[in-house]
Amino acid sequence: MKGPSLTMSTTTFPTASILGYPRIGEHRELKFALEKFWKSSPEDRDSYAAELHNTADALSKKRNDTLSSLGLDQEASIPEDFCYYDQILDLVCALGATPDRFAAERDILAHHSPESAEALAAQFTIARGEGDRAALGLTKWFDSNYHYLVPEIGPETQFEFLGSQRLAGVEHYPHMRPVLVGPVTFLLLSRASESAPDDFHPLSRLDDVLGAYEDYIAALSSVGVSWIQCDEPALVSDRWSIPRKDILAAVKRAYQGLAATAKPRLVVALSYGHAADAVDVLAETPVAAVHIDTVRGRWPSAEEAQRWSQSWRDRTLVIGAVSGRNIWRADLSGIFNNLEHLKENLHEDVHLAVSTSTSLQHVPYDVSLETSLDPDIRSWLAFAHQKVEEVAILARGLNEGKAAIASQLEENQAILAARRAHPGVHRADIRQRTAAINEADRHRAPYPERLAAQEKALNLPPLPTTTIGSFPQTSDIRQARAAHRRGDLSTEDYKAAMRKEIHHVIRAQEEVGLDVLVHGEAERNDMVQYFAEHFDGFLTTTHGWVQSYGSRCTRPSILWGDVSRPAPVTVEWSGYAASLTDHVLKGMLTGPVTIMAWSFVREDIPWSEVADQLGLVLRDEIKDLEEAGVGVIQVDEPAIRELLPLRSSEEGEYLRWSVGAFRLATGGARPETSIHTHLCYSDFATVVDAIDRLDADVTSIEASRSKMAVLPAIAEQGFERQLGPGVWDIHSPRVPSVAEIGGLIRRATHALDPRQVWVNPDCGLKTRGWEETTATLKNLVEATRLARQASSTNSR
Ligand code: GLN
Ligand code: ZN
């Protein structure tokens, strides 16, 4: 009895699996345990380390119990991808690939067990930095909102397997399938270390890193696991400086070695898009299964199925058909039909299995925790647990035939039909408005005409000073918002508290002497959620946390229906602020693309259409602000680069609709209204052109850390409008001096025409304290005064 089923289970990839699972805990248990550990004093660090381990163990146990009860009950069905902070940081530590400045930490990692308080602390020091030793950089994981720590690899990096917490995890649960980011993706995601020569690329260290991977895999196999998953998502992107053929050659070399030495079988996952050429290359290695993403990627063509029928004989093709990126119930019948069709085209010796398109780390745990949601809408949603159920249903259909899952398919179709028929999903009034949009709606008067009108209307000095919008969010403000939400503070009292704060912020700006004032955004918990709460077509969750990085989580809103604006959202606050001062006041909105990037967005209509619906409601808001006397309006788009497709061929279409939606939002503004936008980064060579196309009168960007390095590129493009390159790095509490800010202003006025330059911080001040805010803004105003003086004496 046991014999054959055991061989089956260890050689065939499980029909039902998921690529990965959230790790922060349904109630963010890991977050709180981590933060306690970080705050602990040296004396009680050991006990907080123990608490952290207990939390992790409890989460592991719960994960195992839940996932197997939801249908992941085969050998190797459940991924072991837990980590304390980040999957790439885990690898940096496991492979000994730490930058030189963390030599002491590497030493600790080499000599202590990965579970020790010392090793944990060392790992977190690398993640979070210490004193003047900067942390590893933090960057977006593909086109998701998760951020990973960027390895720094150079010719000097000494790869050596130092041990890993992953081992302890599978020792407890050897039926699990440990997950590692694969070597090619690891090196492609790395940056060259500071001491590396100019022409060095981390991928040139492939052979050396493979040795450490081999030892890692050997250690995992000694525990007795049957499968190991290597994630190679970098292969779906073409945004690397290395030719594709060299990347594919690296894949072949890597997996020929790893899969041959591995006792457990290897499955390579190609998530976040499609990489059919990598499937062909992997077929030339002893890898036993390959995963493809059919959600953001595509289903195999008949021709590919034929080819893979030869090359994947006796191996498994894992179809990632349930989205790991959205929170919508899948179309199970549609997927199942595709699976059956694929099966017909594949040789019968190619095993077919079902999985998620990516790890489920991008979605919350469980819809059933959302007890206060509208039950209709709730029935359309699938968080991680619901997605596991979907995978299990599809796998059962594959194993037992369609009849076995007929009732589940029927139920699923009924839910999808109810969703399509819901009145909020398709509103005739809104569809008529979007259908009537024409190109002219996306165009304002020519810039020179606007500039003249704005100069007359606003009468600002040269080098105008302003901020990006938010001011320090004190605990008083947070408490007032929370009390109002709970119902403990009446709306009237809440509004009075916010007005008091606005008053304070306005006076503070007048005192330091800024030119263009803001109301401070005290009423906003989050720049996207705030608008989601005030527009129709959105809902917000209570437990829908997803990890952003480390212990940080966000709770994305869900954009489920057609978008409308029942009433003006910001006019009350900005109007009140304007009434308090004779200075120019800038109103603050979040742009359509950023609202989409930081929400879960419906996928039943094209995103270009969703973006235009948002563009229209923001257009109405701008009109209302103008009528309330607000003559400067900033539409923030810090996320416009985040949705940039992973394949460069798709970039043009993306920029067309994203830029188009921004211009629809701002295109109705009067010529004398100055439209600002804010982008949250400086290395935007790829979108310099898009900034120009946004056609904002003033664009503020992050620039202080790079010391304005991006300005020459912008000047070269012939950028003719105004730019506010940040002169204060708001990520740190440090107060830059007048001289330091003055130096940055000088760089800006040398690179650009001084008439184009604004003076402002890099970003909003909500995470800063008042003390450093006031001190820095004073220095900023003084540095600007000196710069103005210098230029007027020069021109005399
Ligand atoms: N206006 C926002 C603020 O100041 C902009 C934030 C951002 O760019 N992420 O907080
Ligand atoms: Zn910003």
Side-chain angles (χ1 to χ4, degrees):
M1 256 308 283
K2 224 180 163 205
S5 82
L6 196 70
T7 27
M8 257 302 281
S9 64
T10 48
T11 58
T12 312
F13 193 77
T15 325
S17 72
I18 57 174
L19 285 196
Y21 186 69
R23 50 197 178 223
I24 205 79
E26 276 175 25
H27 303 287
R28 291 180 293 159
E29 296 89 329
L30 182 61
K31 169 192 177 69
F32 299 118
L34 279 171
E35 289 172 358
K36 268 196 205 164
F37 179 77
W38 294 339
K39 273 194 214 126
S40 63
S41 57
E43 308 85 71
D44 44 39
R45 196 173 69 177
D46 282 342
S47 73
Y48 282 109
E51 196 178 319
L52 186 51
H53 285 306
N54 289 341
T55 305
D57 289 347
L59 288 172
S60 287
K61 179 166 188 327
K62 192 160 174 199
R63 176 212 331 238
N64 253 284
D65 294 349
T66 309
L67 292 181
S68 50
S69 76
L70 289 171
L72 300 186
D73 51 5
Q74 284 171 282
E75 166 85 26
S77 272
I78 301 180
E80 163 57 310
D81 64 340
F82 179 81
C83 52
Y84 284 99
Y85 198 98
D86 169 50
Q87 59 257 31
I88 298 288
L89 174 69
D90 266 18
L91 267 180
V92 166
C93 294
L95 303 172
T98 50
D100 283 349
R101 64 185 178 281
F102 295 115
E105 282 69 25
R106 189 183 196 273
D107 208 45
I108 293 173
L109 292 167
H111 295 106
H112 289 77
S113 113
E115 280 73 52
S116 64
E118 289 82 358
L120 281 173
Q123 190 185 5
F124 297 140
T125 301
I126 298 170
R128 307 174 70 227
E130 192 178 73
D132 55 8
R133 294 189 300 157
L136 295 185
L138 203 57
T139 292
K140 296 208 139 242
W141 177 252
F142 300 95
D143 56 353
S144 79
N145 280 327
Y146 178 74
H147 301 70
Y148 71 94
L149 288 161
V150 185
E152 296 164 26
I153 305 293
E156 74 288 355
T157 307
Q158 297 212 348
F159 298 104
E160 182 193 349
F161 178 59
L162 302 181
S164 156
Q165 293 139 359
R166 186 77 82 251
L167 280 173
V170 286
E171 267 162 21
H172 277 92
Y173 303 104
H175 67 279
M176 286 173 87
R177 182 182 79 249
V179 179
L180 307 179
V181 172
V184 177
T185 293
F186 178 76
L187 294 173
L188 286 176
L189 293 182
S190 299
R191 66 168 70 126
S193 68
E194 214 146 81
S195 55
D198 279 350
D199 59 350
F200 173 84
H201 192 288
L203 193 60
S204 64
R205 300 295 314 274
L206 180 69
D207 288 336
D208 307 308
V209 84
L210 285 177
Y213 266 92
E214 275 171 22
D215 292 341
Y216 194 167
I217 287 178
L220 287 168
S221 56
S222 70
V223 178
V225 301
S226 56
W227 282 88
I228 294 173
Q229 173 180 326
C230 289
D231 288 339
E232 291 286 7
L235 302 179
V236 310
S237 169
D238 61 6
R239 299 190 172 277
W240 312 113
S241 56
I242 293 189
R244 185 73 178 168
K245 68 170 195 348
D246 295 348
I247 292 178
L248 292 176
V251 169
K252 188 163 165 184
R253 207 163 65 242
Y255 287 95
Q256 266 173 343
L258 291 183
T261 51
K263 227 184 327 137
R265 304 195 137 213
L266 293 193
V267 54
V268 175
L270 304 170
S271 37
Y272 301 88
H274 75 85
D277 53 354
V279 178
D280 289 311
V281 169
L282 286 164
E284 297 168 25
T285 73
V287 158
V290 66
H291 160 281
I292 58 173
D293 174 344
T294 60
V295 180
R296 292 278 168 99
R298 53 173 175 72
W299 286 82
S301 65
E303 191 201 322
E304 282 161 349
Q306 239 167 38
R307 209 164 62 231
W308 296 344
S309 287
Q310 302 309 316
S311 57
W312 288 93
R313 273 295 155 93
D314 295 320
R315 301 193 272 183
T316 309
L317 214 49
V318 187
I319 306 298
V322 170
S323 174
R325 304 289 304 278
N326 72 23
I327 42 70
W328 307 109
R329 278 197 188 271
D331 170 9
L332 295 182
S333 302
I335 294 174
F336 197 72
N337 288 344
N338 282 339
L339 283 170
E340 283 195 313
H341 184 72
L342 179 60
K343 205 169 174 176
E344 275 163 27
N345 284 328
L346 279 177
H347 190 277
E348 59 180 7
D349 288 342
V350 180
H351 306 291
L352 214 48
V354 202
S355 188
T356 49
S357 66
T358 65
S359 164
L360 295 176
Q361 75 177 115
H362 306 299
V363 299
Y365 282 84
D366 189 358
V367 172
S368 62
L369 296 172
E370 300 299 328
T371 47
S372 49
L373 286 188
D374 171 334
D376 281 340
I377 300 178
R378 195 174 68 179
S379 71
W380 314 340
L381 304 180
F383 293 175
H385 293 176
Q386 288 68 38
K387 288 175 184 289
V388 174
E389 286 169 336
E390 292 181 335
V391 166
I393 292 169
L394 293 164
R396 180 148 175 242
L398 272 184
N399 286 336
E400 301 170 24
K402 194 169 181 172
I405 57 168
S407 68
Q408 282 102 326
L409 294 184
E410 218 171 280
E411 194 190 330
N412 173 258
Q413 286 205 303
I415 290 173
L416 299 185
R419 176 177 170 194
R420 278 193 298 272
H422 191 284
V425 162
H426 186 108
R427 288 179 42 186
D429 54 336
I430 294 172
R431 298 303 171 100
Q432 272 158 17
R433 248 191 113 185
T434 46
I437 297 169
N438 58 49
E439 259 320 288
D441 296 333
R442 304 185 204 266
H443 286 271
R444 300 182 69 200
Y447 177 65
E449 200 178 301
R450 280 159 22 208
L451 180 64
Q454 290 163 23
E455 278 176 349
K456 204 163 131 220
L458 302 172
N459 195 22
L460 291 169
L463 302 173
T465 55
T466 190
T467 61
I468 307 304
S470 59
F471 267 76
Q473 289 241 337
T474 58
S475 60
D476 280 359
I477 300 175
R478 288 178 213 277
Q479 273 163 22
R481 273 204 317 261
H484 181 234
R485 181 176 298 269
R486 284 195 309 270
D488 295 346
L489 187 71
S490 71
T491 298
E492 211 172 294
D493 290 347
Y494 162 74
K495 286 191 172 176
M498 291 301 123
R499 276 198 296 269
K500 195 171 144 217
E501 182 61 27
I502 290 173
H503 192 269
H504 172 222
V505 168
I506 292 289
R507 289 293 168 262
Q509 294 172 90
E510 286 177 342
E511 268 159 38
V512 298
L514 288 163
D515 300 310
V516 174
L517 313 192
V518 296
H519 78 287
E521 301 181 24
E523 77 288 1
R524 299 183 194 177
N525 42 1
D526 171 279
M527 64 188 285
V528 168
Q529 193 182 329
Y530 181 73
F531 287 91
E533 282 169 358
H534 287 82
F535 292 156
D536 282 345
F538 282 89
L539 63 84
T540 53
T541 66
T542 27
H543 295 279
W545 296 101
V546 290
Q547 191 180 19
S548 167
Y549 67 92
S551 68
R552 292 290 192 96
C553 301
T554 62
R555 214 167 22 162
S557 305
I558 296 176
L559 197 174
W560 62 269
D562 283 354
V563 179
S564 66
R565 186 190 66 138
V569 181
T570 64
V571 175
E572 180 179 357
W573 308 121
S574 295
Y576 175 69
S579 74
L580 296 176
T581 180
D582 294 334
H583 285 66
V584 174
L585 186 107
K586 176 164 75 168
M588 284 294 152
L589 303 176
T590 303
V593 188
T594 298
I595 292 181
M596 289 176 69
W598 294 347
S599 305
F600 287 117
V601 179
R602 62 190 296 187
E603 292 174 352
D604 56 332
I605 61 174
W607 276 15
S608 54
E609 200 171 334
V610 178
D612 275 352
Q613 290 186 4
L614 285 162
L616 285 176
V617 292
L618 291 164
R619 187 182 177 101
D620 295 344
E621 184 76 12
I622 289 177
K623 192 153 193 265
D624 287 332
L625 282 169
E626 285 179 327
E627 263 154 38
V630 178
V632 181
I633 300 169
Q634 178 169 313
V635 181
D636 287 327
E637 283 291 19
I640 198 156
R641 194 186 55 165
E642 294 179 8
L643 293 184
L644 209 62
L646 300 175
R647 294 255 173 194
S648 37
S649 60
E650 293 158 19
E651 185 173 313
E653 170 58 13
Y654 164 69
L655 289 176
R656 187 194 61 74
W657 68 255
S658 57
V659 168
F662 179 91
R663 292 184 58 148
L664 180 63
T666 53
R670 300 171 188 158
E672 65 270 28
T673 300
S674 170
I675 295 290
H676 289 216
T677 190
H678 168 68
L679 309 171
C680 240
Y681 37 80
S682 60
D683 58 330
F684 51 72
T686 42
V687 285
V688 154
D689 172 50
I691 304 176
D692 201 32
R693 283 157 60 181
L694 289 178
D695 196 29
D697 300 301
V698 183
T699 303
S700 63
I701 58 171
E702 189 177 307
S704 70
R705 265 193 286 191
S706 69
K707 305 226 170 8
M708 311 267 152
V710 69
L711 296 193
I714 294 182
E716 227 164 83
Q717 297 270 329
F719 185 75
E720 57 160 357
R721 291 180 282 277
Q722 300 152 70
L723 196 76
V727 295
W728 172 21
D729 173 13
I730 55 84
H731 300 98
S732 131
R734 201 172 66 85
V735 175
S737 67
V738 173
E740 187 179 340
I741 297 176
L744 292 173
I745 297 176
R746 255 193 316 281
R747 280 183 189 230
T749 52
H750 285 155
L752 301 167
D753 180 338
R755 283 171 303 182
Q756 291 180 288
V757 178
W758 283 62
V759 180
N760 48 254
D762 272 342
C763 193
L765 307 174
K766 56 178 172 270
T767 56
R768 293 274 56 88
W770 268 106
E771 206 176 315
E772 69 252 24
T773 295
T774 318
T776 308
L777 291 178
K778 273 191 186 144
N779 289 355
L780 182 150
V781 168
E782 175 62 8
T784 307
R785 192 186 65 80
L786 294 173
R788 286 175 187 154
Q789 215 171 39
S791 91
S792 66
T793 33
N794 278 353
S795 55
R796 236 178 270 146

